[in-house]
């Protein structure tokens, strides 16, 4: 049996036991053995009555849980907290269901299956390339991936391959919300799987760029043209000689510049006070983007920016060419950060050969970015589209990273009707109402694993687009809800991934349920105490009356 650890119960029980033992000793000193026995019995019975005595708990057993239907039954959900572990059948359930359950040891052996994983952006700006990747668990045979328009026209085709992952790319022509289709075919052209691919193409945010250059170059001229063609508002100034400069005034006021682009020569030729003013301006928020192709004074960068530059060896120039796809190959700047760049500098981007070409460091609320490649101007004629897309991608990470103060975070890879999903918002206050047409208002609340946002649980009712709104958000958020029958192999893969994550969480945090047995019945001990006391009282009265009684 197991005794409770409650201090009050222990004190009362111990007091009763001590009283019984002392009474029994006193009766024993008078050789009144029956009375001593009754006193000890009464004390023990009262001690057991007052104590919280519990019977040994039965060992908790693993619970057999079936997820053949893709869900956990209500009965199993209620029984899991008391189970020692889970013996799982099926592919498991999605992360939203596992999250609500306590960690329990999981015994699970999934059956072999052809699983599918899809990866693609749900929203993007016009002018960016859309990339769809498909990965299969069983890829011994040849297969191919196709992206289809809403009218079933083929937009992109990967071609036949036996690789484990295939990708296709497509450049959306207009900004609109659409539901494309993806199709997986075998070597004979038969359908393996097909389903919807939702995509929201948004109008790009116009850039506001200040440009300051102390040495004219074809690179700066091509960059100016690329930014202007992309709709950027430019305040551009290039020094052509000692007293000659070419200026381009902005077509509209620069209310909030996204970046200041300079060449290394401009920074090196500034006076120490002007350089300090430039750094103070950068610390207010807008990044300072340095084109490092004409850097010549490594001491300035080491002393004022904490950036140690080293010269590029002419003998390794060919091997060090930075490769961006098949079309773009650029030489590194003559002075570039060392391979093991030191804090506060870090590598921001690498090329296709995993060689660094973009570095950054924080500076107050802003940052300094070093672009360590040159001679991109030659691709303005030979590969203009590839060059424009390369610069768009670079500016997305450099200039637009901190533009939006609020953002929707719709991270559920595949919402389906009836299964809990989640909507998060960055940049609004906790308690803000989340609104969706046809649904009751929800309250956005902080989450421990979402330090930069507030979230609300959401249960979709039907397939299709759902539009969300909240106070403080400039534009609505859009989420696509898939039908229950869409992409069954992908749904199965998502359930298995979530189940493996739950199993890992259970291993790290598993704690068996508390083994609390049933309380020992106290009525018999109460009766025993009462009978013992009555018998002792009767014997005392008989002893007082003497033999004549």
């Amino acid at each position: 049996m197991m005794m409770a650890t409650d201090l009050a119960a222990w004190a009362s029980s111990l007091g009763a036991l001590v009283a019984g033992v002392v009474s029994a000793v006193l009766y024993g000193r008078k050789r009144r053995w029956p009375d001593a026995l009754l006193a000890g019995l009464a004390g023990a019975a009262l001690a057991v009555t007052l104590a919280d005595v519990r019977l040994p708990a039965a060992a908790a057993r693993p619970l057999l849980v079936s997820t053949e239907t893709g869900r956990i039954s209500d009965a199993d959900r209620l029984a899991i907290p008391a189970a020692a572990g889970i013996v799982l059948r099926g592919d498991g359930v999605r992360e939203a269901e596992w999250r609500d359950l306590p960690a329990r040891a999981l015994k699970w052996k999934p059956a072999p299956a052809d699983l599918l994983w899809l990866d693609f952006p749900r929203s993007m700006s016009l002018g960016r390339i859309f990339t769809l990747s498909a990965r299969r668990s069983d890829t011994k045979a040849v297969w191919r991936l196709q992206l289809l328009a809403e009218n079933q026209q083929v937009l992109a085709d990967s071609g036949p391959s036996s690789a484990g992952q295939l990708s296709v790319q497509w450049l959306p022509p207009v900004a609109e919300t659409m539901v494309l289709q993806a199709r997986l075919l075998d070597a004979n052209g038969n359908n393996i799987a097909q389903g919807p691919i939702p995509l929201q193409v948004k109008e790009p945010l116009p850039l506001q760029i200040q440009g300051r250059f102390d040495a004219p170059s074809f690179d700066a001229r091509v960059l100016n043209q690329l930014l202007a063609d992309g709709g950027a508002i430019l305040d551009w100034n290039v020094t052509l000689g000692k007293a000659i400069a070419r200026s381009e005034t902005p077509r509209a006021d620069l209310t909030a510049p996204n970046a200041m682009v300079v060449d290394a020569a401009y920074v090196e030729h500034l006076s120490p006070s002007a350089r300090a003013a430039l750094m103070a301006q950068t610390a207010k928020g807008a990044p300072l983007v340095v084109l490092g192709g004409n850097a010549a004074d490594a001491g300035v960068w080491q002393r004022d920016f904490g950036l140690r530059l080293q010269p590029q060896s002419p003998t390794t120039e060919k091997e060090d060419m930075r490769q961006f796809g098949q079309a773009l190959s650029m030489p590194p700047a003559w002075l570039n950060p060392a391979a093991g760049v030191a804090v506060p500098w870090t590598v921001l981007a690498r090329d296709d050969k995993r060689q660094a070409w973009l570095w950054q460091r924080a500076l107050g609320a802003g940052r300094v970015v070093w672009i360590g490649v040159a001679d991109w101007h030659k691709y303005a004629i030979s590969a203009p589209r590839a060059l424009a897309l390369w610069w768009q991608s670079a500016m997305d990470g450099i200039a637009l990273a901190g533009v939006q103060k609020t953002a929707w975070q719709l991270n559920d890879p595949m919402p389906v009707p009836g299964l809990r999903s989640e909507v998060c918002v960055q940049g609004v206050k906790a308690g803000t109402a989340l609104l969706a047409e046809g649904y009751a208002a929800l309250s956005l609340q902080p989450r421990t694993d979402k330090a930069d946002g507030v979230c609300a649980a959401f249960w979709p009712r039907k397939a299709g687009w759902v539009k969300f709104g909240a106070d403080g958000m400039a534009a609505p958020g859009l989420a696509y809800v898939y039908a229950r029958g869409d992409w069954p192999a992908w749904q199965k893969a998502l359930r298995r991934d979530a189940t493996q994550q739950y199993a890992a969480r259970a291993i790290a945090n598993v704690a068996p349920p508390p083994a609390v047995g049933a309380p020992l019945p106290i009525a018999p001990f109460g009766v025993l105490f009462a009978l013992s006391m009555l018998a002792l009282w009767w014997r005392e009265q008989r002893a007082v009356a003497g033999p004549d009684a």
Side-chain angles (χ1 to χ4, degrees):
M1 290 187 292
M2 179 180 62
M3 301 295 291
T5 58
D6 183 78
L7 185 59
W10 269 103
S12 301
S13 176
L14 185 60
L17 185 60
V18 169
V21 171
V22 171
S23 299
V25 170
L26 293 176
Y27 281 120
R29 292 179 62 182
K30 299 179 181 179
R31 298 184 180 274
R32 294 170 59 178
W33 306 116
D35 295 338
L37 178 61
L38 288 171
L41 191 59
L46 181 59
V48 174
T49 303
L50 295 175
D52 183 16
V53 181
R54 294 181 176 270
L55 296 172
R61 297 180 179 179
L63 178 68
L64 178 61
V65 176
S66 175
T67 57
E68 301 291 347
T69 62
R71 303 296 298 271
I72 295 178
S73 67
D74 293 337
D76 287 341
R77 189 177 294 107
L78 294 174
I80 285 176
I86 300 173
V87 178
L88 187 68
R89 291 180 180 174
D91 299 304
V93 294
R94 296 282 294 275
E95 188 269 341
E97 288 193 73
W98 283 127
R99 189 192 306 162
D100 293 334
L101 295 173
R104 293 291 178 263
L106 183 67
K107 185 178 181 181
W108 175 52
K109 186 177 181 181
D114 186 6
L115 304 178
L116 173 67
W117 291 267
L118 298 178
D119 183 33
F120 57 93
R122 273 60 176 178
S123 65
M124 57 187 298
S125 297
L126 183 64
R128 279 45 169 185
I129 289 181
F130 172 77
T131 301
L132 167 68
S133 297
R135 178 168 60 92
R136 295 176 62 197
S137 60
D138 183 12
T139 55
K140 297 178 182 178
V142 174
W143 62 299
R144 68 196 303 164
L145 171 65
Q146 292 182 336
L147 180 66
L148 311 177
E150 292 172 311
N151 62 359
Q152 301 301 302
Q153 176 187 357
V154 177
L155 301 175
D157 191 326
S158 68
S161 174
S162 59
Q165 177 172 314
L166 299 179
S167 297
V168 292
Q169 292 185 325
W170 174 62
L171 183 64
V174 294
E176 63 176 339
T177 299
M178 62 191 81
V179 181
L180 307 174
Q181 291 276 317
R183 181 166 63 192
L184 279 65
L185 304 173
D186 62 14
N188 298 320
N190 299 319
N191 241 358
I192 300 174
Q194 182 171 341
I197 301 294
L199 175 62
Q200 182 186 14
V201 182
K202 305 176 183 178
E203 291 288 352
L205 292 173
L207 289 172
Q208 300 183 27
I209 304 295
Q210 292 178 307
R212 300 291 183 267
F213 303 90
D214 232 34
S217 68
F218 289 113
D219 281 351
R221 183 72 191 96
V222 168
L223 176 58
N224 177 282
Q225 188 62 47
L226 289 171
L227 292 172
D229 292 344
I233 302 173
L234 301 178
D235 176 7
W236 210 261
N237 188 288
V238 181
T239 300
L240 303 177
K242 288 186 177 181
I244 305 175
R246 185 180 68 84
S247 299
E248 179 179 340
T249 57
R251 53 185 169 82
D253 292 339
L254 271 68
T255 56
N258 301 119
M260 183 173 184
V261 181
V262 300
D263 60 2
Y266 173 81
V267 178
E268 293 175 0
H269 295 162
L270 290 175
S271 65
S273 59
R275 198 176 301 126
L278 177 63
M279 296 177 67
Q281 177 185 345
T282 302
K284 294 180 179 179
L288 177 67
V289 182
V290 182
L291 308 183
N294 58 11
D297 190 347
V300 168
W301 300 101
Q302 175 71 45
R303 181 177 62 253
D304 292 348
F305 294 87
L307 179 62
R308 189 170 71 86
L309 300 177
Q310 63 181 17
Q312 171 74 22
S313 173
T315 59
T316 61
E317 182 176 350
K318 185 175 181 180
E319 292 80 0
D320 283 348
M321 293 290 285
R322 303 304 192 258
Q323 192 68 39
F324 306 95
Q326 296 181 351
L328 304 181
S329 180
M330 302 180 192
W334 181 73
L335 285 176
N336 252 352
V341 64
V343 175
W345 286 86
T346 58
V347 175
L348 181 59
R350 298 180 183 272
D351 71 344
D352 296 349
K353 298 185 294 183
R354 304 301 300 162
Q355 296 186 103
W357 68 275
L358 195 63
W359 293 264
Q360 71 171 353
R361 66 155 292 180
L363 189 64
R367 53 194 176 128
V368 181
V369 179
W370 180 277
I371 297 181
V373 290
D375 291 351
W376 57 77
H377 64 272
K378 61 185 180 182
Y379 296 108
I381 297 176
S382 62
R385 178 180 171 183
L387 179 62
L389 292 174
W390 177 75
W391 261 111
Q392 283 179 349
S393 176
M395 295 306 290
D396 283 347
I398 295 171
L400 291 179
V403 171
Q404 292 180 310
K405 303 302 181 183
T406 60
W408 294 96
Q409 297 174 334
L410 306 171
N411 299 322
D412 190 342
M414 194 179 188
V416 293
L419 180 64
R420 187 181 72 177
S421 185
E422 187 177 64
V423 179
C424 296
V425 184
Q426 180 180 0
V428 302
K429 296 180 179 179
T432 301
L434 176 69
L435 305 176
E437 185 177 354
Y439 294 84
L442 302 171
S443 179
L444 293 165
Q445 298 297 330
R447 274 256 309 270
T448 55
D449 58 339
K450 298 283 185 180
D452 58 345
V454 288
C455 306
F458 173 70
W459 279 264
R461 297 174 188 163
K462 60 181 180 180
W465 289 103
V466 179
K467 182 183 293 186
F468 297 100
D471 289 341
M473 300 301 293
L478 280 177
Y480 183 79
V481 180
Y482 294 78
R484 289 183 178 273
D486 288 341
W487 297 115
W490 188 21
Q491 291 196 45
K492 183 179 294 186
L494 291 174
R495 291 199 297 269
R496 292 195 178 195
D497 289 345
T499 303
Q500 290 174 349
Q501 292 174 4
Y502 172 81
R505 173 166 68 93
I507 292 174
N509 304 313
V510 67
V516 179
L520 185 70
I522 62 173
F525 294 94
V527 172
L528 179 59
F529 169 73
L531 292 177
S532 299
M533 292 302 293
L534 285 173
L536 187 58
W537 174 81
W538 177 76
R539 288 183 58 80
E540 287 285 353
Q541 294 299 317
R542 185 179 178 187
V544 172
D548 294 339

